[in-house]
Each structure stands twice: as C-alpha cells, then as structure tokens.
C-alpha cells in the first residue's frame, strides 16, 4: 500500500492485472518502458479488462478515483469487494483522465476496492492512478 500524505493512495503500473472474462486470449499485460506514446501497461489483446485492487486504510474512506491512460479516456468502474464474500457492489463508473467521484466506501476489516479499466486496443496504455481518501 502506498499512501501519500493523508489523502492519497498511489496505484503503480504493477498494481494492474488482467481479468479472465475474455478467455485465455485476453490474459496478460506487459510493461513498456519506452518513454513517449508507448510507455505504460500494455494489454496483449484488444478489449482486455484490467484490474487494480486497493486496500482502504483503517479509519479512512475512499471518495474519488483517478486512472491515467494515454489519451483514450478508457472506461473505468469501481467496485467494493469483500474478502469473505463473492459480491461486487458498483460504486461508480466513468472514464480515465477524469476524476471519478465514487459513492464513499468506508474501510472495514474485510472490504477493498476493485478498479476495472476496459481497454479498447493493444495501443492503449495505462500509467497508474490514485484513490483519494478522507477520514470516516
């Protein structure tokens, strides 16, 4: 967990993994370290969903999410997920490169955020993101 100051959790490129929804052809994501338009996390197939999972610090609530991409303004959705259940409750949807004001999620002993980014093509790049937190 990378909490920056009292109000921000940083998401690094390494925090993203692919979703199995698209089948085995949509597994995998790679890091491109070339500066410029190629830099960032690169999906291996068009239409790959990638996820970042974020723990909310005790006594805090998550209020906003920012995901940064290479200008495609990819679709994002934020879910509250439980360690001890199979439910995913949507807390908001929007686009990368725009601050998403989610329904506030208070930290509990079992919850966390799942942030979904839906890529369009293998030319898409995701750089990382932030989750804004505040006192409960």
């Amino acid at each position: 967990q990378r909490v920056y100051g009292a109000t921000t959790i940083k998401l690094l490129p390494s925090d993203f993994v692919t979703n199995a929804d698209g089948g085995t052809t949509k597994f995998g994501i790679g890091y491109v370290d070339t500066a410029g338009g190629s830099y960032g996390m690169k999906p291996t197939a068009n239409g790959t969903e990638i996820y970042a999972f974020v723990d909310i610090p005790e006594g805090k609530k998550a209020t906003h999410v920012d995901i940064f991409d290479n200008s495609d303004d990819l679709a994002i959705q934020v879910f509250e997920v439980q360690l001890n259940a199979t439910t995913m409750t949507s807390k908001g949807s929007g686009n990368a490169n725009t601050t998403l004001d989610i329904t506030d999620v208070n930290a509990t002993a079992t919850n966390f955020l799942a942030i979904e980014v839906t890529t369009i093509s293998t030319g898409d790049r995701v750089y990382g993101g932030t989750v804004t937190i505040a006192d409960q």
Side-chain angles (χ1 to χ4, degrees):
Q1 177 116 335
R2 289 159 299 281
V3 177
Y4 184 78
T7 61
T8 305
I9 298 171
K10 293 190 285 186
L11 301 176
L12 303 180
S14 60
D15 291 326
F16 291 89
V17 297
T18 53
N19 183 5
D21 279 356
T24 58
T25 61
K26 299 214 175 154
F27 276 137
I29 188 166
Y31 177 69
V32 178
D33 65 354
T34 305
S38 301
Y39 171 81
M41 296 307 288
K42 174 188 190 296
T44 56
N46 295 340
T48 299
E49 293 177 348
I50 60 175
Y51 276 81
F53 302 97
V54 180
D55 183 28
I56 306 164
E58 184 177 3
K60 299 287 187 176
K61 63 184 174 185
T63 62
H64 297 80
V65 172
D66 286 277
I67 298 296
F68 306 107
D69 73 19
N70 65 336
S71 77
D72 285 337
D73 300 336
L74 298 170
I76 63 174
Q77 188 163 5
V78 178
F79 300 93
E80 180 180 10
V81 185
Q82 303 296 325
L83 294 172
N84 58 353
T86 60
T87 58
M88 294 179 70
T89 305
S90 179
K91 296 298 178 176
S93 61
N95 295 91
N97 303 317
T98 304
T99 299
L100 174 58
D101 185 358
I102 64 171
T103 301
D104 291 356
V105 179
N106 289 329
T108 70
T110 59
N111 74 340
F112 60 96
L113 297 181
I115 302 169
E116 174 189 271
V117 182
T118 303
T119 67
I120 299 167
S121 76
T122 58
D124 290 329
R125 298 294 186 272
V126 175
Y127 306 135
T130 60
V131 174
T132 303
I133 54 176
D135 292 334
Q136 287 186 9

